[in-house]
Amino acid sequence: MSEELPEVLHSSDSPVGAESDNTLLRENIAALVQIKNGNIARFTQSQLNITSALVEQKWHNRHQIFPWRVKEEVYGAVLCEIIAHQPRWKNEILARLEVVYQKLRDEEAQSLSCTRALLENNYKTPHL
């Protein structure tokens, strides 16, 4: 890290006394607040772009996403086999898949609009 962090002091570093303990406490609180603000600033600067934030979130959750991809591939293979053996069900299966896809697409669009509103600081909750 190129930034120099403030030093957190210990009670053995200062003379004994209630006044020195209060001063030490105030200095430590100020140092911790400065560290926290630095961490928040560094985190928010790297995540300003919604697309990069979503990619980073996906990368952090890749262990949970991989089983879903495997499950999706298995379901796709099963549906292909069902359609191959029962062609009369093809239209019904594709219609149900389209309904589910549209529902997921709408939910994703709502989620992205909320994310954008939060990022731009103009999100209003429906309860206010």
Side-chain angles (χ1 to χ4, degrees):
M1 277 195 285
S2 62
E3 296 177 13
E4 189 175 316
L5 296 177
E7 184 179 341
V8 177
L9 305 174
H10 301 285
S11 60
S12 61
D13 298 341
S14 64
V16 179
E19 188 174 309
S20 65
D21 286 344
N22 286 338
T23 304
L24 179 68
L25 181 61
R26 272 188 260 116
E27 289 174 1
N28 283 340
I29 288 173
L32 290 173
V33 166
Q34 187 177 359
I35 291 169
K36 180 187 75 159
N37 289 341
N39 288 338
I40 290 172
R42 190 173 61 250
F43 180 75
T44 55
Q45 285 176 353
S46 66
Q47 304 235 344
L48 212 52
N49 187 347
I50 292 174
T51 306
S52 63
L54 291 174
V55 168
E56 186 172 333
Q57 186 72 23
K58 186 176 182 180
W59 176 252
H60 285 301
N61 294 325
R62 67 190 179 282
H63 298 293
Q64 290 83 17
I65 292 173
F66 181 72
W68 286 102
R69 291 188 67 190
V70 171
K71 187 177 180 181
E72 183 179 84
E73 290 177 18
V74 169
Y75 280 154
V78 168
L79 287 175
C80 285
E81 285 298 315
I82 291 172
I83 290 172
H85 288 87
Q86 302 289 334
R88 65 180 187 270
W89 291 353
K90 180 180 178 178
N91 290 336
E92 184 179 340
I93 290 172
L94 292 178
R96 287 186 184 186
L97 286 174
E98 183 64 25
V99 167
V100 170
Y101 171 75
Q102 292 298 327
K103 180 181 173 191
L104 289 173
R105 193 182 65 122
D106 290 342
E107 289 173 357
E108 183 68 19
Q110 289 174 354
S111 173
L112 286 174
S113 68
C114 287
T115 304
R116 284 190 187 106
L118 286 169
L119 184 68
E120 296 167 355
N121 292 327
N122 61 4
Y123 180 76
K124 304 282 188 224
T125 61
H127 303 293
L128 293 179

